[in-house]
Amino acid sequence: KVLMEKLGVKKGCVGPLAIMNNADKDVTLVLDEGLMSKAKVHSHPLRNDASTALVPSDLLKFITECGVEPTMIAFGKKGDAAPLLAGKVPSSRPDGDKSSSKPKLPPKDKNAPKAANQNKKQTKKGETQLALKWKKEENFAMWYTDVIVLSEMISYYDISGCYILRPWSYKIWELIQDWFNIQIRKLDVENSYFPMFVSKDRLEKEKDHVEGFAPEVAWVTKSGEGDLAAPIAVRPTSETIMYPAFADWIRSHRDLPLKLNQWSNVVRWEFKDPTPFLRTREFLWQEGHTAHASFEDANVMVRQALDLYRRVYEELLAVPVVPGYKTEKEKFAGGHSTTTVEAYVPVAGRAIQGATSHHLGQNFGKMFDINYQDEKGESQIVWQTSWGLTTRTIGVMVMVHGDDTGLVLPPKIAPLQAVIVPIVSKKHPLENFSEYCGGILKSLQDKDIRCKLDDRSIYNPGWKYAHWEQKGVPIRIEVGPRDLENKQVRLVVRFSGEKIDVGVDDLADTIAKKLDEVQQGMFAKALQFRDDHLVKVTEWKDFVPNLELHNLVLTPWCGGEHQDWEEWVKNKSREESLESRGEAGEDDRTATSVAAKTLCIPFDQPELPEGTKCIASGLPATCWVMWGRSY
């Protein structure tokens, strides 16, 4: 209450920018003097699900403009001498005057309640400092950040919206690539690579297409100190880069179909709050582009690509998805139609677009003159598709399966599927375990199980347990002195916490079977949770209350072409949601709006009784549409 009255922020959202709301000027702003030497200072912008990067001089200028003189303290580093007040203490203070050598802090209130979100495992003396600071159900956004950083998936970069993919997350992407390449080769799709730059003329050739991407396009305007003759765009997607080449290569019906894929990076200068993996200014993806002789052939390709995306989520990531069509309002700019797979994120209660596959019709063919002669010698325009899957997959997987300990990885995409931890001590040194554990390692590798022997001597077994649990390794293999005697090991399953003792002779087969069980169990759990939060609603009065219950909502709909009523639902649901929460409004740039949006028109349609009315317009319903709050 005090934070809201004095600084206009909630608990956990305090930062120096909040001083702007202190109208009474009765709050002291204290800054670490060391921050002034940094290139950028990151701070909460009055909320804790985002960060703002400021040059120190700009931060000081902002604070001064608010009529506040900050107190500067040289906090120093751990082990340094006590901090000195900077800017407030007279430089002529006698050396013997120790009374003001450090700021006086108010005495602790012994009766004050402890912070509700403090993780006690983090503060117990002698325990590892690996524990997450945030609980998944208490602060989902901060929990997510904790997980991906502490599990060594992501490191932050000094350009907002850009992140470093560390080996643990990049290996997951490589495993997805390996599987996907095998599948597209079965469809006669070949890999290629096109430049990342596109000229302004090419990018703007397709009006609807460029309008859809215009706010997100990054432009190169300089080379060294000189200006370029014309600005060059950094690839937001590759239709306008690839299709002039298609026009050169396709001359006859014998050149069709042309099926290409490329693995590349894309830059889209998002203005909404960035979130690692989910919404970033640069991301990795694959994009497939094909050209066909008929609408039907192109449509088959669209559905084949989408089914591969469904399998990536369901078979590799153990995340259930709903396949369907996007509405006219949500379809790919310049395309004929868009299909999608939509996932559900538990706890957050939000949907997220998993991947899309587009039927482009003949629009781009006409724009880029992609003509061919058919069997009759007549000139025809090709029918085209494009489809893409991004590193967003990794973020979705983390959100769906992670827990308060850290990652929980599905075995099929886990960089390590098992880790061997010998329980060493002074009485039982590592040498006692080397041959035994080495034999186990080889037997697992011979079965193509991705595994590792953690024989690091600088960490004790307890630390290793916590470390590999946080990184989500599906199975931990513990080997103690008694296991040596009994020719066995103890298996600890990350997903379920199950502990079982297994003989070493058939260990590889047992682990392979257990990994399959874990993969299936993780999908079943996620599916059950998703299905429990997918409801049918036929009256508007029940729509927003179900959103507030973190549900996805199926409603009767008058058709995807009714963009005006789609916009009405978005605005009306935002208005009613904010009213029910007692909130005045929300930032237009937020990536987590309370408004509902159409997710898809599911392929699998429930029965629609005759005479059913659209939930918004009251017009006759023609289909069921799935709504939800979305990332």
Side-chain angles (χ1 to χ4, degrees), residues 444-486:
L444 298 183
Q445 290 174 335
D446 289 345
K447 280 280 188 179
D448 293 326
I449 294 171
R450 296 184 293 276
C451 55
K452 175 186 178 69
L453 169 60
D454 190 344
D455 56 1
R456 293 174 291 176
S457 60
I458 58 174
Y459 299 117
N460 63 38
W463 189 95
K464 294 176 183 179
Y465 294 170
H467 175 71
W468 295 115
E469 282 180 1
Q470 190 172 82
K471 291 175 77 71
V473 174
I475 293 179
R476 182 172 76 245
I477 304 169
E478 300 175 3
V479 182
R482 291 184 181 177
D483 297 312
L484 291 177
E485 296 174 6
N486 298 328

Side-chain angles (χ1 to χ4, degrees), residues 328-546:
E328 286 295 306
K329 178 179 172 59
E330 296 292 333
K331 76 175 185 180
F332 182 70
H336 173 270
S337 62
T338 292
T339 61
T340 180
V341 288
E342 299 286 328
Y344 175 74
V345 178
V347 182
R350 290 183 175 273
I352 187 164
Q353 179 180 287
T356 50
S357 181
H358 314 289
H359 195 310
L360 300 180
Q362 294 179 307
N363 195 25
F364 286 92
K366 293 174 182 176
M367 290 295 107
F368 290 94
D369 297 322
I370 311 177
N371 305 307
Y372 70 96
Q373 279 194 337
D374 63 15
E375 292 92 335
K376 299 177 182 178
E378 297 176 356
S379 181
Q380 303 290 347
I381 302 291
V382 299
W383 299 85
Q384 291 178 264
T385 78
S386 68
W387 24 280
L389 179 83
T390 79
T391 40
R392 168 178 286 193
T393 50
I394 301 173
V396 175
M397 178 268 298
V398 172
M399 288 182 160
V400 170
H401 299 303
D403 61 20
D404 289 340
T405 299
L407 295 177
V408 181
L409 295 179
K412 287 189 178 180
I413 52 80
L416 289 176
Q417 296 170 312
V419 62
I420 305 165
V421 180
I423 305 174
V424 300
S425 63
K426 290 182 179 179
K427 191 175 180 180
H428 301 282
L430 180 62
E431 292 74 19
N432 294 3
F433 297 89
S434 296
E435 183 178 350
Y436 190 77
C437 291
I440 293 172
L441 180 65
K442 185 179 185 306
S443 70
L444 298 183
Q445 290 174 335
D446 289 345
K447 280 280 188 179
D448 293 326
I449 294 171
R450 296 184 293 276
C451 55
K452 175 186 178 69
L453 169 60
D454 190 344
D455 56 1
R456 293 174 291 176
S457 60
I458 58 174
Y459 299 117
N460 63 38
W463 189 95
K464 294 176 183 179
Y465 294 170
H467 175 71
W468 295 115
E469 282 180 1
Q470 190 172 82
K471 291 175 77 71
V473 174
I475 293 179
R476 182 172 76 245
I477 304 169
E478 300 175 3
V479 182
R482 291 184 181 177
D483 297 312
L484 291 177
E485 296 174 6
N486 298 328
K487 296 189 180 302
Q488 64 178 31
V489 298
R490 168 159 289 189
L491 303 185
V492 182
V493 180
R494 176 67 179 90
F495 165 61
S496 63
E498 178 187 14
K499 298 180 180 181
I500 51 175
D501 294 327
V502 180
V504 74
D505 292 338
D506 55 355
L507 180 60
D509 290 335
T510 300
I511 288 181
K513 182 179 179 181
K514 181 59 68 175
L515 290 171
D516 287 340
E517 290 177 7
V518 169
Q519 186 79 29
Q520 295 169 19
M522 291 182 68
F523 179 76
K525 180 181 178 181
L527 179 63
Q528 184 63 56
F529 202 98
R530 195 280 310 276
D531 288 349
D532 289 344
H533 287 81
L534 178 58
V535 299
K536 288 183 184 177
V537 166
T538 56
E539 296 183 60
W540 178 259
K541 67 179 179 63
D542 299 321
F543 187 81
V544 172
N546 270 286

Side-chain angles (χ1 to χ4, degrees), residues 221-291:
T221 59
K222 296 180 74 69
S223 172
E225 295 299 319
D227 293 334
L228 296 181
I232 297 173
V234 182
R235 167 176 56 210
T237 183
S238 294
E239 281 78 6
T240 56
I241 297 172
M242 299 173 78
Y243 295 166
F246 277 37
D248 288 339
W249 299 339
I250 297 172
R251 291 284 184 266
S252 162
H253 64 89
R254 289 181 290 272
D255 299 323
L256 296 174
L258 177 62
K259 300 179 180 181
L260 298 181
N261 178 67
Q262 75 168 349
W263 296 93
S264 63
N265 64 334
V266 166
V267 174
R268 296 181 185 174
W269 214 254
E270 291 269 9
F271 287 94
K272 292 186 177 181
D273 297 331
T275 303
F277 295 121
L278 303 190
R279 188 178 295 278
T280 61
R281 286 179 170 172
E282 180 190 15
F283 56 86
L284 304 180
W285 76 346
Q286 65 71 217
E287 53 177 325
H289 295 266
T290 67

Side-chain angles (χ1 to χ4, degrees), residues 9-20 41-54 59 62 134 139 142 145:
V9 295
K10 296 179 181 179
K11 183 179 178 180
C13 303
V14 178
L17 302 182
I19 201 68
M20 65 186 288
V41 177
H42 291 77
S43 171
H44 290 324
L46 311 188
R47 53 194 292 171
N48 64 10
D49 60 350
S51 291
T52 298
L54 295 171
L59 175 61
F62 174 84
W134 303 92
N139 191 320
M142 297 304 292
T145 300

